[in-house]
Amino acid sequence: MVDIENGQCGKCEHYGQNESSSQIIEIRIKGTAPDGFTSVCGHPRNAGIHLSVSANSGCDGFTPAEAA
Ligand code: SF4
C-alpha cells in the first residue's frame, strides 16, 4: 500500500473526477492506495489529454476533495 499525504492526487477533488469509483472515495478516506494504483486526473488542463496519475503524484492544480 502507498500512503497519501495532503496535497497529493489521492486527496484531490480532480482525482478520478470523471469516473464513478467507490475506490477513489476509499483512498481519500483511508489515506492509502494499492501499490501501482492509477486514475485519470479530471483537472480542466489535463482532462483533454486523459492524464493518468498515481495516487501519490501531485501538481499545483491540487484542490482538496471534500471527503479528504
Ligand atoms: S495531477 Fe494535480 S489536479 Fe490532477 S489529481 Fe493530481 S493533484 Fe489533482
Short mmCIF file of all heavy atoms in Angstrom, two decimals:
data_model
loop_
_atom_site.label_atom_id
_atom_site.label_comp_id
_atom_site.label_asym_id
_atom_site.label_seq_id
_atom_site.Cartn_x
_atom_site.Cartn_y
_atom_site.Cartn_z
N MET A 1 0.84 -1.20 0.00
CA MET A 1 0.00 0.00 0.00
C MET A 1 0.88 1.26 0.00
O MET A 1 1.99 1.25 0.50
CB MET A 1 -0.90 0.02 1.24
CG MET A 1 -1.89 -1.13 1.33
SD MET A 1 -3.11 -1.13 0.01
CE MET A 1 -4.38 -0.09 0.72
N VAL A 2 0.34 2.33 -0.54
CA VAL A 2 1.06 3.60 -0.63
C VAL A 2 0.33 4.62 0.24
O VAL A 2 -0.90 4.76 0.15
CB VAL A 2 1.08 4.10 -2.09
CG1 VAL A 2 1.75 5.45 -2.19
CG2 VAL A 2 1.77 3.08 -2.99
N ASP A 3 1.07 5.33 1.10
CA ASP A 3 0.47 6.38 1.93
C ASP A 3 0.28 7.65 1.11
O ASP A 3 1.15 8.05 0.35
CB ASP A 3 1.37 6.68 3.13
CG ASP A 3 1.37 5.55 4.14
OD1 ASP A 3 0.35 4.85 4.24
OD2 ASP A 3 2.40 5.37 4.82
N ILE A 4 -0.87 8.29 1.28
CA ILE A 4 -1.19 9.52 0.57
C ILE A 4 -1.14 10.70 1.53
O ILE A 4 -1.83 10.71 2.54
CB ILE A 4 -2.61 9.47 -0.05
CG1 ILE A 4 -2.86 8.15 -0.78
CG2 ILE A 4 -2.84 10.67 -0.96
CD1 ILE A 4 -1.93 7.85 -1.89
N GLU A 5 -0.32 11.68 1.18
CA GLU A 5 -0.20 12.89 2.01
C GLU A 5 -1.20 13.94 1.50
O GLU A 5 -1.61 13.90 0.34
CB GLU A 5 1.21 13.49 1.87
CG GLU A 5 2.34 12.50 2.07
CD GLU A 5 2.64 12.25 3.52
OE1 GLU A 5 2.37 13.16 4.33
OE2 GLU A 5 3.14 11.16 3.83
N ASN A 6 -1.53 14.90 2.37
CA ASN A 6 -2.33 16.04 1.92
C ASN A 6 -1.55 16.74 0.82
O ASN A 6 -0.33 16.91 0.94
CB ASN A 6 -2.61 17.00 3.07
CG ASN A 6 -3.71 16.48 3.98
OD1 ASN A 6 -4.61 15.80 3.53
ND2 ASN A 6 -3.62 16.81 5.25
N GLY A 7 -2.22 17.13 -0.25
CA GLY A 7 -1.55 17.79 -1.37
C GLY A 7 -1.26 16.83 -2.51
O GLY A 7 -0.81 17.27 -3.57
N GLN A 8 -1.51 15.54 -2.31
CA GLN A 8 -1.27 14.57 -3.37
C GLN A 8 -2.59 14.15 -4.03
O GLN A 8 -3.67 14.32 -3.47
CB GLN A 8 -0.54 13.33 -2.81
CG GLN A 8 0.87 13.67 -2.32
CD GLN A 8 1.64 12.47 -1.84
OE1 GLN A 8 1.08 11.56 -1.22
NE2 GLN A 8 2.94 12.47 -2.09
N CYS A 9 -2.45 13.61 -5.23
CA CYS A 9 -3.62 13.29 -6.07
C CYS A 9 -4.73 12.53 -5.34
O CYS A 9 -5.90 12.83 -5.52
CB CYS A 9 -3.17 12.48 -7.28
SG CYS A 9 -2.07 13.38 -8.38
N GLY A 10 -4.36 11.58 -4.52
CA GLY A 10 -5.36 10.77 -3.83
C GLY A 10 -6.28 11.56 -2.93
O GLY A 10 -7.35 11.09 -2.54
N LYS A 11 -5.87 12.80 -2.59
CA LYS A 11 -6.70 13.67 -1.75
C LYS A 11 -7.22 14.87 -2.53
O LYS A 11 -7.68 15.85 -1.93
CB LYS A 11 -5.88 14.14 -0.55
CG LYS A 11 -5.39 13.02 0.34
CD LYS A 11 -5.97 13.14 1.72
CE LYS A 11 -5.54 11.97 2.59
NZ LYS A 11 -6.40 11.84 3.76
N CYS A 12 -7.12 14.82 -3.85
CA CYS A 12 -7.52 15.94 -4.71
C CYS A 12 -8.89 15.68 -5.33
O CYS A 12 -9.19 14.55 -5.74
CB CYS A 12 -6.48 16.12 -5.82
SG CYS A 12 -6.87 17.40 -7.03
N GLU A 13 -9.71 16.71 -5.42
CA GLU A 13 -11.06 16.52 -5.97
C GLU A 13 -11.04 16.14 -7.45
O GLU A 13 -12.01 15.64 -7.99
CB GLU A 13 -11.94 17.75 -5.75
CG GLU A 13 -11.62 18.93 -6.66
CD GLU A 13 -12.72 20.00 -6.60
OE1 GLU A 13 -13.52 19.97 -5.66
OE2 GLU A 13 -12.73 20.84 -7.50
N HIS A 14 -9.93 16.42 -8.13
CA HIS A 14 -9.85 16.10 -9.56
C HIS A 14 -9.46 14.64 -9.82
O HIS A 14 -9.55 14.17 -10.94
CB HIS A 14 -8.83 17.02 -10.25
CG HIS A 14 -9.19 18.46 -10.18
ND1 HIS A 14 -10.34 18.97 -10.75
CD2 HIS A 14 -8.57 19.50 -9.57
CE1 HIS A 14 -10.40 20.26 -10.51
NE2 HIS A 14 -9.35 20.61 -9.80
N TYR A 15 -9.03 13.95 -8.77
CA TYR A 15 -8.57 12.57 -8.96
C TYR A 15 -9.75 11.65 -9.26
O TYR A 15 -10.67 11.52 -8.46
CB TYR A 15 -7.83 12.09 -7.71
CG TYR A 15 -6.96 10.88 -7.95
CD1 TYR A 15 -6.05 10.84 -8.99
CD2 TYR A 15 -7.04 9.77 -7.12
CE1 TYR A 15 -5.24 9.75 -9.21
CE2 TYR A 15 -6.22 8.67 -7.32
CZ TYR A 15 -5.33 8.67 -8.37
OH TYR A 15 -4.52 7.58 -8.59
N GLY A 16 -9.73 11.02 -10.43
CA GLY A 16 -10.83 10.14 -10.82
C GLY A 16 -12.14 10.88 -10.96
O GLY A 16 -13.21 10.27 -10.89
N GLN A 17 -12.06 12.20 -11.19
CA GLN A 17 -13.24 13.08 -11.14
C GLN A 17 -14.34 12.66 -12.11
O GLN A 17 -15.52 12.82 -11.80
CB GLN A 17 -12.78 14.51 -11.46
CG GLN A 17 -13.81 15.57 -11.19
CD GLN A 17 -13.19 16.95 -11.29
OE1 GLN A 17 -12.29 17.19 -12.08
NE2 GLN A 17 -13.68 17.86 -10.47
N ASN A 18 -13.98 12.20 -13.27
CA ASN A 18 -15.00 11.88 -14.27
C ASN A 18 -15.33 10.39 -14.31
O ASN A 18 -15.90 9.90 -15.28
CB ASN A 18 -14.54 12.39 -15.64
CG ASN A 18 -14.30 13.88 -15.62
OD1 ASN A 18 -15.03 14.62 -14.96
ND2 ASN A 18 -13.26 14.33 -16.29
N GLU A 19 -14.98 9.69 -13.26
CA GLU A 19 -15.29 8.26 -13.17
C GLU A 19 -16.14 8.08 -11.91
O GLU A 19 -16.00 8.83 -10.97
CB GLU A 19 -14.01 7.44 -13.02
CG GLU A 19 -13.02 7.63 -14.15
CD GLU A 19 -11.69 6.94 -13.86
OE1 GLU A 19 -11.46 6.55 -12.70
OE2 GLU A 19 -10.92 6.78 -14.80
N SER A 20 -17.00 7.08 -11.90
CA SER A 20 -17.71 6.79 -10.66
C SER A 20 -17.03 5.57 -10.04
O SER A 20 -17.21 4.45 -10.49
CB SER A 20 -19.18 6.53 -10.93
OG SER A 20 -19.33 5.48 -11.85
N SER A 21 -16.18 5.83 -9.07
CA SER A 21 -15.42 4.76 -8.45
C SER A 21 -15.45 4.89 -6.94
O SER A 21 -15.01 5.89 -6.38
CB SER A 21 -13.97 4.80 -8.94
OG SER A 21 -13.17 3.95 -8.16
N SER A 22 -15.99 3.89 -6.28
CA SER A 22 -16.00 3.91 -4.82
C SER A 22 -14.58 3.77 -4.28
O SER A 22 -14.29 4.15 -3.15
CB SER A 22 -16.89 2.80 -4.27
OG SER A 22 -16.44 1.55 -4.73
N GLN A 23 -13.68 3.23 -5.11
CA GLN A 23 -12.29 3.05 -4.66
C GLN A 23 -11.61 4.42 -4.45
O GLN A 23 -10.80 4.58 -3.54
CB GLN A 23 -11.50 2.23 -5.67
CG GLN A 23 -10.18 1.73 -5.11
CD GLN A 23 -9.51 0.70 -5.99
OE1 GLN A 23 -9.83 0.56 -7.16
NE2 GLN A 23 -8.57 -0.02 -5.42
N ILE A 24 -11.95 5.40 -5.28
CA ILE A 24 -11.38 6.74 -5.11
C ILE A 24 -11.80 7.32 -3.76
O ILE A 24 -10.99 7.89 -3.04
CB ILE A 24 -11.86 7.68 -6.26
CG1 ILE A 24 -11.39 7.17 -7.61
CG2 ILE A 24 -11.39 9.11 -6.01
CD1 ILE A 24 -9.92 7.26 -7.89
N ILE A 25 -13.06 7.17 -3.41
CA ILE A 25 -13.56 7.67 -2.12
C ILE A 25 -12.83 6.96 -0.98
O ILE A 25 -12.43 7.59 0.00
CB ILE A 25 -15.08 7.41 -2.00
CG1 ILE A 25 -15.84 8.03 -3.17
CG2 ILE A 25 -15.60 7.94 -0.66
CD1 ILE A 25 -15.78 9.52 -3.26
N GLU A 26 -12.65 5.67 -1.13
CA GLU A 26 -11.97 4.88 -0.10
C GLU A 26 -10.53 5.36 0.09
O GLU A 26 -10.04 5.47 1.21
CB GLU A 26 -11.99 3.41 -0.53
CG GLU A 26 -11.76 2.44 0.59
CD GLU A 26 -11.92 1.00 0.11
OE1 GLU A 26 -12.91 0.69 -0.57
OE2 GLU A 26 -11.01 0.21 0.42
N ILE A 27 -9.86 5.67 -1.02
CA ILE A 27 -8.47 6.16 -0.95
C ILE A 27 -8.43 7.49 -0.21
O ILE A 27 -7.56 7.71 0.64
CB ILE A 27 -7.89 6.29 -2.38
CG1 ILE A 27 -7.62 4.90 -2.96
CG2 ILE A 27 -6.63 7.14 -2.38
CD1 ILE A 27 -7.29 4.87 -4.43
N ARG A 28 -9.38 8.37 -0.49
CA ARG A 28 -9.44 9.68 0.20
C ARG A 28 -9.60 9.50 1.70
O ARG A 28 -8.95 10.17 2.50
CB ARG A 28 -10.62 10.50 -0.31
CG ARG A 28 -10.40 11.11 -1.65
CD ARG A 28 -11.63 11.87 -2.07
NE ARG A 28 -11.50 12.26 -3.46
CZ ARG A 28 -12.51 12.66 -4.21
NH1 ARG A 28 -13.72 12.74 -3.70
NH2 ARG A 28 -12.30 13.00 -5.46
N ILE A 29 -10.51 8.64 2.07
CA ILE A 29 -10.84 8.47 3.48
C ILE A 29 -9.73 7.75 4.23
O ILE A 29 -9.30 8.20 5.29
CB ILE A 29 -12.17 7.72 3.63
CG1 ILE A 29 -13.31 8.59 3.09
CG2 ILE A 29 -12.43 7.33 5.08
CD1 ILE A 29 -14.64 7.89 2.94
N LYS A 30 -9.22 6.68 3.65
CA LYS A 30 -8.19 5.88 4.34
C LYS A 30 -6.80 6.51 4.24
O LYS A 30 -5.95 6.26 5.09
CB LYS A 30 -8.14 4.47 3.75
CG LYS A 30 -9.35 3.63 4.10
CD LYS A 30 -9.15 2.21 3.60
CE LYS A 30 -10.30 1.30 4.04
NZ LYS A 30 -10.19 -0.03 3.43
N GLY A 31 -6.56 7.28 3.18
CA GLY A 31 -5.24 7.87 3.01
C GLY A 31 -4.20 6.87 2.54
O GLY A 31 -3.00 7.12 2.69
N THR A 32 -4.64 5.76 1.97
CA THR A 32 -3.73 4.78 1.39
C THR A 32 -4.33 4.30 0.07
O THR A 32 -5.53 4.32 -0.12
CB THR A 32 -3.50 3.56 2.30
OG1 THR A 32 -4.75 2.91 2.55
CG2 THR A 32 -2.85 3.94 3.62
N ALA A 33 -3.44 3.84 -0.83
CA ALA A 33 -3.87 3.30 -2.11
C ALA A 33 -3.08 2.03 -2.39
O ALA A 33 -1.95 1.88 -1.92
CB ALA A 33 -3.64 4.32 -3.22
N PRO A 34 -3.65 1.10 -3.16
CA PRO A 34 -2.90 -0.10 -3.51
C PRO A 34 -1.65 0.26 -4.31
O PRO A 34 -1.65 1.25 -5.04
CB PRO A 34 -3.90 -0.89 -4.39
CG PRO A 34 -5.23 -0.34 -4.07
CD PRO A 34 -5.01 1.10 -3.70
N ASP A 35 -0.59 -0.52 -4.17
CA ASP A 35 0.62 -0.31 -4.95
C ASP A 35 0.28 -0.26 -6.43
O ASP A 35 -0.48 -1.10 -6.92
CB ASP A 35 1.63 -1.44 -4.72
CG ASP A 35 2.23 -1.39 -3.33
OD1 ASP A 35 2.26 -0.30 -2.74
OD2 ASP A 35 2.67 -2.44 -2.85
N GLY A 36 0.82 0.71 -7.14
CA GLY A 36 0.64 0.81 -8.58
C GLY A 36 -0.70 1.36 -9.02
O GLY A 36 -0.98 1.43 -10.21
N PHE A 37 -1.54 1.78 -8.08
CA PHE A 37 -2.87 2.30 -8.44
C PHE A 37 -2.74 3.62 -9.21
O PHE A 37 -1.99 4.50 -8.81
CB PHE A 37 -3.72 2.52 -7.18
CG PHE A 37 -5.12 2.99 -7.48
CD1 PHE A 37 -6.13 2.08 -7.74
CD2 PHE A 37 -5.41 4.34 -7.54
CE1 PHE A 37 -7.42 2.50 -8.04
CE2 PHE A 37 -6.70 4.78 -7.83
CZ PHE A 37 -7.70 3.86 -8.09
N THR A 38 -3.47 3.74 -10.31
CA THR A 38 -3.51 4.99 -11.06
C THR A 38 -4.96 5.32 -11.40
O THR A 38 -5.82 4.45 -11.43
CB THR A 38 -2.72 4.90 -12.40
OG1 THR A 38 -3.32 3.91 -13.23
CG2 THR A 38 -1.25 4.56 -12.16
N SER A 39 -5.22 6.61 -11.63
CA SER A 39 -6.52 7.04 -12.10
C SER A 39 -6.34 8.30 -12.94
O SER A 39 -5.26 8.90 -12.97
CB SER A 39 -7.47 7.31 -10.92
OG SER A 39 -8.79 7.50 -11.40
N VAL A 40 -7.40 8.68 -13.62
CA VAL A 40 -7.33 9.83 -14.51
C VAL A 40 -7.52 11.13 -13.73
O VAL A 40 -8.34 11.20 -12.83
CB VAL A 40 -8.41 9.70 -15.61
CG1 VAL A 40 -8.50 10.96 -16.45
CG2 VAL A 40 -8.11 8.49 -16.49
N CYS A 41 -6.72 12.14 -14.08
CA CYS A 41 -6.87 13.47 -13.49
C CYS A 41 -7.91 14.24 -14.29
O CYS A 41 -7.80 14.37 -15.50
CB CYS A 41 -5.53 14.21 -13.55
SG CYS A 41 -5.70 15.96 -13.12
N GLY A 42 -8.92 14.75 -13.58
CA GLY A 42 -10.00 15.48 -14.24
C GLY A 42 -9.81 16.99 -14.24
O GLY A 42 -10.73 17.72 -14.61
N HIS A 43 -8.64 17.47 -13.84
CA HIS A 43 -8.39 18.92 -13.86
C HIS A 43 -8.60 19.42 -15.30
O HIS A 43 -8.18 18.76 -16.25
CB HIS A 43 -6.95 19.21 -13.41
CG HIS A 43 -6.68 20.66 -13.20
ND1 HIS A 43 -6.50 21.54 -14.24
CD2 HIS A 43 -6.57 21.39 -12.06
CE1 HIS A 43 -6.29 22.75 -13.75
NE2 HIS A 43 -6.32 22.69 -12.43
N PRO A 44 -9.26 20.57 -15.45
CA PRO A 44 -9.55 21.08 -16.80
C PRO A 44 -8.33 21.11 -17.72
O PRO A 44 -8.45 20.91 -18.92
CB PRO A 44 -10.09 22.49 -16.54
CG PRO A 44 -10.68 22.40 -15.17
CD PRO A 44 -9.82 21.42 -14.40
N ARG A 45 -7.15 21.34 -17.17
CA ARG A 45 -5.95 21.40 -18.01
C ARG A 45 -5.49 20.02 -18.46
O ARG A 45 -4.72 19.91 -19.41
CB ARG A 45 -4.80 22.06 -17.25
CG ARG A 45 -4.97 23.54 -17.08
CD ARG A 45 -3.68 24.13 -16.60
NE ARG A 45 -3.76 25.57 -16.49
CZ ARG A 45 -2.74 26.34 -16.17
NH1 ARG A 45 -1.57 25.79 -15.93
NH2 ARG A 45 -2.88 27.63 -16.09
N ASN A 46 -5.90 18.99 -17.75
CA ASN A 46 -5.42 17.64 -18.06
C ASN A 46 -6.49 16.72 -18.63
O ASN A 46 -6.16 15.70 -19.26
CB ASN A 46 -4.86 16.98 -16.79
CG ASN A 46 -3.63 17.71 -16.28
OD1 ASN A 46 -2.84 18.23 -17.06
ND2 ASN A 46 -3.46 17.74 -14.97
N ALA A 47 -7.75 17.05 -18.43
CA ALA A 47 -8.83 16.14 -18.83
C ALA A 47 -8.79 15.82 -20.32
O ALA A 47 -9.01 14.68 -20.72
CB ALA A 47 -10.19 16.74 -18.45
N GLY A 48 -8.44 16.81 -21.13
CA GLY A 48 -8.43 16.61 -22.58
C GLY A 48 -7.36 15.65 -23.05
O GLY A 48 -7.47 15.08 -24.14
N ILE A 49 -6.31 15.48 -22.25
CA ILE A 49 -5.23 14.57 -22.65
C ILE A 49 -5.27 13.28 -21.84
O ILE A 49 -4.36 12.45 -21.93
CB ILE A 49 -3.84 15.25 -22.54
CG1 ILE A 49 -3.58 15.74 -21.11
CG2 ILE A 49 -3.72 16.38 -23.55
CD1 ILE A 49 -2.14 16.23 -20.90
N HIS A 50 -6.31 13.11 -21.01
CA HIS A 50 -6.52 11.87 -20.25
C HIS A 50 -5.28 11.48 -19.45
O HIS A 50 -4.83 10.33 -19.50
CB HIS A 50 -6.93 10.73 -21.19
CG HIS A 50 -8.13 11.08 -22.03
ND1 HIS A 50 -9.39 11.24 -21.50
CD2 HIS A 50 -8.24 11.34 -23.36
CE1 HIS A 50 -10.23 11.58 -22.47
NE2 HIS A 50 -9.55 11.65 -23.60
N LEU A 51 -4.74 12.45 -18.73
CA LEU A 51 -3.56 12.19 -17.90
C LEU A 51 -3.90 11.19 -16.80
O LEU A 51 -4.86 11.38 -16.06
CB LEU A 51 -3.06 13.50 -17.28
CG LEU A 51 -1.88 13.37 -16.33
CD1 LEU A 51 -0.61 12.98 -17.10
CD2 LEU A 51 -1.66 14.67 -15.56
N SER A 52 -3.11 10.15 -16.71
CA SER A 52 -3.31 9.15 -15.67
C SER A 52 -2.18 9.28 -14.66
O SER A 52 -1.01 9.34 -15.04
CB SER A 52 -3.29 7.75 -16.30
OG SER A 52 -3.59 6.78 -15.33
N VAL A 53 -2.53 9.36 -13.37
CA VAL A 53 -1.52 9.62 -12.34
C VAL A 53 -1.67 8.64 -11.17
O VAL A 53 -2.75 8.12 -10.90
CB VAL A 53 -1.61 11.07 -11.82
CG1 VAL A 53 -1.08 12.04 -12.86
CG2 VAL A 53 -3.02 11.43 -11.44
N SER A 54 -0.57 8.45 -10.48
CA SER A 54 -0.58 7.63 -9.26
C SER A 54 -1.23 8.42 -8.14
O SER A 54 -1.25 9.66 -8.16
CB SER A 54 0.85 7.29 -8.84
OG SER A 54 1.50 6.60 -9.87
N ALA A 55 -1.73 7.71 -7.15
CA ALA A 55 -2.41 8.38 -6.03
C ALA A 55 -1.47 9.27 -5.23
O ALA A 55 -1.90 10.20 -4.57
CB ALA A 55 -3.06 7.34 -5.13
N ASN A 56 -0.17 9.00 -5.29
CA ASN A 56 0.78 9.83 -4.53
C ASN A 56 1.55 10.78 -5.44
O ASN A 56 2.59 11.30 -5.06
CB ASN A 56 1.73 8.97 -3.71
CG ASN A 56 2.59 8.04 -4.54
OD1 ASN A 56 2.32 7.81 -5.71
ND2 ASN A 56 3.63 7.48 -3.94
N SER A 57 1.01 11.05 -6.65
CA SER A 57 1.56 12.11 -7.50
C SER A 57 0.98 13.44 -7.03
O SER A 57 0.20 13.48 -6.07
CB SER A 57 1.17 11.88 -8.97
OG SER A 57 1.74 10.68 -9.45
N GLY A 58 1.31 14.54 -7.73
CA GLY A 58 0.76 15.83 -7.33
C GLY A 58 1.11 16.90 -8.34
O GLY A 58 1.96 16.71 -9.20
N CYS A 59 0.40 18.05 -8.23
CA CYS A 59 0.72 19.21 -9.08
C CYS A 59 0.12 20.44 -8.45
O CYS A 59 -0.59 20.36 -7.44
CB CYS A 59 0.18 19.00 -10.51
SG CYS A 59 -1.56 19.40 -10.72
N ASP A 60 0.40 21.60 -9.04
CA ASP A 60 -0.09 22.87 -8.48
C ASP A 60 -1.59 23.03 -8.61
O ASP A 60 -2.18 23.95 -8.04
CB ASP A 60 0.61 24.05 -9.17
CG ASP A 60 2.08 24.16 -8.78
OD1 ASP A 60 2.48 23.51 -7.80
OD2 ASP A 60 2.81 24.89 -9.47
N GLY A 61 -2.24 22.15 -9.37
CA GLY A 61 -3.69 22.23 -9.53
C GLY A 61 -4.44 21.53 -8.41
O GLY A 61 -5.67 21.44 -8.44
N PHE A 62 -3.71 21.06 -7.41
CA PHE A 62 -4.36 20.35 -6.30
C PHE A 62 -5.49 21.16 -5.68
O PHE A 62 -5.33 22.35 -5.38
CB PHE A 62 -3.33 20.02 -5.21
CG PHE A 62 -3.93 19.37 -4.00
CD1 PHE A 62 -4.16 18.02 -3.97
CD2 PHE A 62 -4.29 20.14 -2.89
CE1 PHE A 62 -4.74 17.41 -2.86
CE2 PHE A 62 -4.87 19.54 -1.78
CZ PHE A 62 -5.09 18.18 -1.77
N THR A 63 -6.62 20.52 -5.52
CA THR A 63 -7.78 21.09 -4.85
C THR A 63 -8.28 20.07 -3.85
O THR A 63 -8.59 18.94 -4.25
CB THR A 63 -8.91 21.41 -5.86
OG1 THR A 63 -8.36 22.22 -6.92
CG2 THR A 63 -10.04 22.17 -5.20
N PRO A 64 -8.33 20.39 -2.56
CA PRO A 64 -8.72 19.39 -1.57
C PRO A 64 -10.10 18.81 -1.86
O PRO A 64 -11.05 19.55 -2.15
CB PRO A 64 -8.74 20.17 -0.25
CG PRO A 64 -7.96 21.40 -0.50
CD PRO A 64 -8.07 21.71 -1.97
N ALA A 65 -10.21 17.49 -1.81
CA ALA A 65 -11.51 16.83 -2.00
C ALA A 65 -12.30 16.94 -0.71
O ALA A 65 -11.73 16.95 0.38
CB ALA A 65 -11.29 15.37 -2.37
N GLU A 66 -13.61 17.02 -0.83
CA GLU A 66 -14.45 17.18 0.36
C GLU A 66 -14.33 16.03 1.33
O GLU A 66 -14.36 16.21 2.54
CB GLU A 66 -15.92 17.34 -0.05
CG GLU A 66 -16.22 18.75 -0.53
CD GLU A 66 -17.69 18.94 -0.80
OE1 GLU A 66 -18.51 18.16 -0.28
OE2 GLU A 66 -18.02 19.89 -1.53
N ALA A 67 -14.17 14.81 0.78
CA ALA A 67 -14.10 13.64 1.65
C ALA A 67 -12.71 13.38 2.20
O ALA A 67 -12.49 12.42 2.90
CB ALA A 67 -14.58 12.41 0.89
N ALA A 68 -11.74 14.27 1.85
CA ALA A 68 -10.37 14.04 2.30
C ALA A 68 -10.18 14.40 3.76
O ALA A 68 -10.91 15.19 4.31
CB ALA A 68 -9.40 14.83 1.44
S1 SF4 B 1 -2.47 15.86 -11.16
FE1 SF4 B 1 -2.88 17.69 -9.91
S2 SF4 B 1 -5.00 18.29 -10.40
FE2 SF4 B 1 -4.68 16.17 -11.10
S3 SF4 B 1 -5.44 14.87 -9.43
FE3 SF4 B 1 -3.21 15.17 -9.15
S4 SF4 B 1 -3.01 16.96 -7.78
FE4 SF4 B 1 -5.10 16.94 -8.61
#
